[in-house]
Amino acid sequence: MRKLLAGVSLFGLAMGAALPASAEITWTGTLTATSDYKFRGISQTDNDPAIQGSFEIGHQGWAAGIWASTVDFTTDPGADVEIDLYLAYTHAFSDDTSLTGKFVYYWYPGANTPDADYFELIAALEHNFGKFSGNLKVAYTPDYFGGTDSGVWLGAGVEVPLNDWLSASGNVGYQWFDNNFGPAPNVGLPDYAHGDVGLTATWDIVALDVRYVMTDLSDAQCFGGTDVCDNKLVVSLTLSKSSE
């Protein structure tokens, strides 16, 4: 799986180099090593490290991309990678304000969990206030992971540049489920809140992110007694290359 993720990033970099040098076409490729893959506050790797990669092409407000990560679900040993395919469109109201609509398909090759794959529709409103930027996001799926029926997520974030190479940021979110625990024998989650706060340092193509990630879930509420919802410090190192 690590070879697959590295391949995604290397393929993205190669494709970017092959694209014509046009102001209308942009591309970005990334490769990340992280101490834990946390999605909305919950570890997707059983509290272990992950390797991640992505590639995106943009054109006149449109963006299409692929993002992948190693995963480790204790309830499903067949799933060892997550691949996200997405299409997005961003409308800029001004230089400081934009609205993005996004379709994301979450794919788990090899997963034994019924209805593991699902999609979300996401809307994000972003504004640069000068000394800081903020965003509001909402996501909806009619059929969440593992057959838990529909789900709604609401999130907000803020980022504050501290100098040319360091920024502070924080996010909060709340996840609702129509059917919290799914069909038997699944043991799921109640509705829950999550958040994170951290610092990101950048130098050339390298970014180091140190972030404390939190949820309001106890171990007893977390898939029937696991620790993947525990609060934790997560460290990530990302290499990125883009046409811009």
Side-chain angles (χ1 to χ4, degrees), residues 117-136:
D117 305 336
Y118 69 100
F119 72 88
E120 280 190 324
L121 301 174
I122 303 173
L125 179 65
E126 300 183 58
H127 183 75
N128 187 339
F129 294 90
K131 294 185 177 181
F132 70 95
S133 60
N135 65 75
L136 292 173

Side-chain angles (χ1 to χ4, degrees), residues 161-179:
L162 302 178
N163 54 39
D164 291 341
W165 57 272
L166 185 66
S167 64
S169 60
N171 301 276
V172 294
Y174 198 89
Q175 178 74 61
W176 290 269
F177 302 101
D178 183 52
N179 177 358

Side-chain angles (χ1 to χ4, degrees), residues 40 137 139 152-156 172-177 190-195 216:
R40 295 177 187 167
K137 298 179 180 179
V152 176
W153 174 78
L154 183 65
V172 294
Y174 198 89
Q175 178 74 61
W176 290 269
F177 302 101
D191 300 342
Y192 72 97
H194 65 91
D216 66 349

Side-chain angles (χ1 to χ4, degrees), residues 2 21 34 54 57 79 98 104 109 156 165 167 171 184 189:
R2 286 172 173 80
T34 181
S54 73
I57 294 177
S98 65
V104 184
W165 57 272
S167 64
N171 301 276
L189 296 167

Side-chain angles (χ1 to χ4, degrees), residues 33-110:
T34 181
S35 62
D36 194 355
Y37 168 24
K38 289 275 196 177
F39 178 71
R40 295 177 187 167
I42 298 175
S43 175
Q44 309 296 293
T45 50
D46 197 20
N47 296 314
D48 289 332
I51 300 295
Q52 302 168 342
S54 73
F55 180 67
E56 178 182 289
I57 294 177
H59 178 67
Q60 296 183 345
W62 289 94
I66 179 173
W67 181 93
S69 176
T70 53
V71 297
D72 182 6
F73 301 138
T74 56
T75 57
D76 190 343
D80 56 10
V81 64
E82 172 189 329
I83 300 175
D84 300 349
L85 306 170
Y86 63 89
L87 179 67
Y89 179 75
T90 298
H91 175 74
F93 295 101
S94 68
D95 290 340
D96 297 323
T97 306
S98 65
L99 178 64
T100 299
K102 190 174 185 179
F103 171 90
V104 184
Y105 185 78
Y106 302 90
W107 177 30
Y108 301 89

